[in-house]
Each structure stands twice: as C-alpha cells, then as structure tokens.
Amino acid sequence: MPLPLPPSDVLPYTAAAAPSTPLGPFEDSAVAWTTWATLMGFTGLVALALLAAGPAAARLTPGTLAGVTARLARAAAVLGVLAVPAVLTDLAHGASENGGYDYSAAWSALYDGSNAGRLLGLEVTLVLAGAVLVAPLTLRRYAAGPARRPLLAAGLAAGAVALGTTKFPDAVPDDWSRTTFETAMWMLHLLGGAVWTGGLVGLLLLAAPGAVAPADRGAFWSPAIRRFSAAAMSCVTAIALSGLFLYWEHVDGLSQLLSTMYGRVLGVKILIFGTLLLLGAFNQFWLHPRIDALREAGDRRPAHVLLLRTFPSVVAAEAVLALSVLFVAPFLHGSARNQAYQADVAAHSPTVDPGNLPKLPQKEVSAATWVWGTGETLLVLALMVGGYVLSGRLARRRAARTADAAPVLAAPVGEAL
C-alpha cells in the first residue's frame, strides 16, 4: 500500500534554478572589438610616433625621421577613419530590435540633445579630427617638418578624449568623488592599453623594410626600443593599478573567478595579460639589454640579426595577445559580485523572478580600502621602476663584457651569435 503524501504546506523545499549568465552573441563582441581596436590603435600609433619612434629617428638623417613618421601616420590615419564606421556599426547593432543594424537610429543618436548623444557625437568627431590632423604627416615632405610635433600632439589629445567619451558619465552623478575616481581609473586602463597595443603594432610596421634606412637601423632601434620600453612600463603600471581597482569593485574574492561567468572571463583576460607580461619581461631583461650592449660596443651585424629575426617575432606575439585581450573584454557583463549574489538568491528562493533579480549595492570605501590601495600602488610603482632600472644595468654590464671581448665580435655573424 503506498504511503500517503504529506500536506502541501509541508512539502520539501525546492530551490529555483540558478540564473543564466550567458557570454552573449559572438557577433556582438566582434563588433565591439572592431571599435576598440580602431580607437585604441589610432591613439597608440600616434603616441609611438610622438614619444618613442620620432625622437629616436630625429637624431639621425631627415630621411629616417620622415620615413618613420610617415609610415606610422598613414596607419594611424587609416584607423582613425575606420573608427567612424566601426563606432556607428556598434551603435547600429545595439539600436536594432531584431539583432540587425539600424544605421538610421545610430546616426540619429549622435548629438540628439542628450548627454549620451553628445558623448557619442564627440567620440566620432574627435577620432575623425585626429585622423585629419595627422593626415599631412602621411607625406614624407611634411613628416619631418616643424609641424610634426604639434600635429602629433593634437592628434594624440583628440584620440585620448575620444577614448574617454566611452567612459565619461552621461548624467550628473550622486557621488562626484567616486565617479571622478572611477572615470580616472577607466582612463588609465584605456590609455595604457591603447599606447601599449598601438605601440606594438607600430613597431611591427617599422620593422618592415622601407621605413628605416639600412645604414640607420642599428642607431635607430636601440633608443627607439628603450623609449618604448619606458612607455610600456608606464602602461603596465596604469593597467595594473586600474585593474586592481576594477577587480575590487566587481569581484568578491578569488573563488568568484571560478564560480561566476564574469570571473571566468576575467580569468581568461588575466591569463592572456600575464602571458603578455612574460613576453614583455623577456624583451626587457634579455633581448633589449643585449641589443643595447651590442650597439654601445660598436657592433652592428649581430644587432641587425637580432632585430630582424628575434625582436619582430616576439613583438608580433605580443601584439596578437594584446588584441586578444581587447576581444575578450566585451564578454565581461555585469559583475562577479552580482552574479554570485543572484545565484545564491535563486538557490534559496523558489519564487524568485529570473528576469528581476536583486543587485548588491556598490562597495563602500573604508579606511582599510585606502590603506590597501596605497600599498598596492606603491608596490606596483616600485616593481616597474625597479625593473626598468635593472634592465638598464643589465645593458651596461653586457656592454662592458662585449667591449672586453672585441675579438669575438669580429667573428662572422653566425659565429658571434
């Protein structure tokens, strides 16, 4: 005889299914990646021409300065122009109700009278203005002229502000201090990634024949790489510090890197970034000091072999990884804190509405937050400055040893390496 069922009011508790947190359509992230790659690529290429490659080439013949500036300006101008349809395509895809592309709605959103519309309009206008500013430098006759630095500086400012419009608040914030600090962290994150990623792509373009005269390659690459290394170190510092803040804001503990979709995507991003750092460390502590040492010792042939073989290969791998980070980033939706909280709510509430899940309030900043943040900032700065100084010392030590071994350097290239 079957056992009688208990009354309905004492039935065993049944939890609701955990809320779904999908990655989102691949197409959405591909469209977003195109937007970020063009905006950040333009800014990074102009920064490389202004801060690293240009000053290194200016110490050599006018032809080298013109060739380096013109090649970077051409690539930057192309990316600046392509950024306009990329931004409009991203807007059109978001405005479409059926997953297509509503370009009419995207165009109408620019300068539509709202703060969001003004920011979107400025994003398109400024990146196009930046492309127009660097356009004269695409011609060699102007690339080494007196207008080079002002045009590059104006183009870099336009690109930086265009990037900033993607994170500037579009409404009056309730907490000005927190919003200002958060916006500053986003600017560090975006500008650091732009200068680093665009700089890597620019170095690859300069490594191709035609930009630097063969007679000037040894004298150009060593200071150019050293200058870019300083810029890259600054970028790593900016990305690390802003990334720590964004991690604190969106993740509660390391366990959420595995238990939430946001955390898993962020973990992939961190792994790619870590691999990028390892390749950068290889450049900074092995390849760059060796190139510097060979140059200071007066030997050009081994330096040419290293630059034409090892250096471009490593930089190409770094550029691919940097662009991969830009591709992964659009998959980050919401926050790990809210995803973990909503999963817990669903597990303990059988009547929860999956479409209207509660969210946690923003984290409150305490004295401990400032103490930990200050300590992390000082530690990251110390590591970056110490690494740059150490790589310089390694280069000088290698130079001294290379100078003492002059007969060895006189050997054929294959034997010397």
Side-chain angles (χ1 to χ4, degrees), residues 204 279 307-318:
L204 278 179
L279 286 174
L307 287 169
L308 295 176
R309 294 181 183 176
T310 309
F311 178 69
S313 300
V314 177
V315 171
E318 289 183 85

Side-chain angles (χ1 to χ4, degrees), residues 54 103 136 144 154 178 185 200 243 279 286 315 409:
Y103 284 96
R178 184 187 183 102
M185 289 298 102
L200 290 171
L279 286 174
W286 187 86
V315 171
L409 292 176

Side-chain angles (χ1 to χ4, degrees), residues 114-120 122 163-176 178-184 186-187:
S114 66
N115 289 332
R118 293 187 188 97
L119 290 175
L120 289 171
L122 284 174
L163 267 180
T165 59
T166 63
K167 296 298 179 182
F168 290 162
D170 57 7
V172 178
D174 296 326
D175 186 346
W176 272 101
R178 184 187 183 102
T179 302
T180 301
F181 186 81
E182 187 177 55
T183 303
W186 271 114
M187 288 299 296

Side-chain angles (χ1 to χ4, degrees), residues 122-349:
L122 284 174
E123 180 182 354
V124 171
T125 302
L126 287 173
V127 71
L128 185 59
V132 172
L133 285 168
V134 301
L137 303 179
T138 61
L139 303 175
R140 283 178 175 258
R141 71 171 72 100
Y142 303 118
R148 184 185 68 86
R149 287 180 62 85
L151 289 176
L152 288 174
L156 178 59
V161 178
L163 267 180
T165 59
T166 63
K167 296 298 179 182
F168 290 162
D170 57 7
V172 178
D174 296 326
D175 186 346
W176 272 101
S177 58
R178 184 187 183 102
T179 302
T180 301
F181 186 81
E182 187 177 55
T183 303
M185 289 298 102
W186 271 114
M187 288 299 296
L188 285 177
H189 212 65
L190 293 177
L191 288 176
V195 174
W196 196 6
T197 304
L200 290 171
V201 174
L203 290 178
L204 278 179
L205 292 175
L206 295 179
V212 182
D216 291 337
R217 286 176 185 170
F220 167 77
W221 277 108
S222 182
I225 293 171
R226 193 66 181 164
R227 282 178 171 271
F228 178 73
S229 295
M233 284 285 195
S234 301
C235 293
V236 171
T237 303
I239 294 171
L241 292 178
S242 55
L244 287 171
F245 168 76
L246 295 173
Y247 176 88
W248 169 83
E249 193 173 45
H250 294 290
V251 182
D252 279 336
L254 295 175
S255 62
Q256 291 185 358
L257 290 178
L258 299 176
S259 62
T260 65
M261 181 60 71
Y262 183 98
R264 289 191 284 270
V265 174
L266 181 60
V268 172
K269 184 180 175 183
I270 292 173
L271 286 175
I272 298 174
F273 181 71
T275 306
L276 190 56
L277 283 182
L278 289 177
L279 286 174
F282 170 80
N283 272 339
Q284 189 72 22
F285 296 107
W286 187 86
L287 186 59
H288 296 175
R290 189 174 184 185
I291 293 172
D292 288 344
L294 291 170
R295 176 179 176 271
E296 291 180 18
D299 186 73
R300 295 290 184 266
R301 294 168 300 172
H304 287 172
V305 174
L306 285 171
L307 287 169
L308 295 176
R309 294 181 183 176
T310 309
F311 178 69
S313 300
V314 177
V315 171
E318 289 183 85
V320 169
L321 288 173
L323 292 172
S324 299
V325 171
L326 295 184
F327 184 78
V328 171
F331 286 104
L332 290 169
H333 302 293
S335 74
R337 296 177 66 240
N338 278 320
Q339 290 177 7
Y341 173 67
Q342 290 167 355
D344 185 65
V345 169
H348 293 86
S349 177

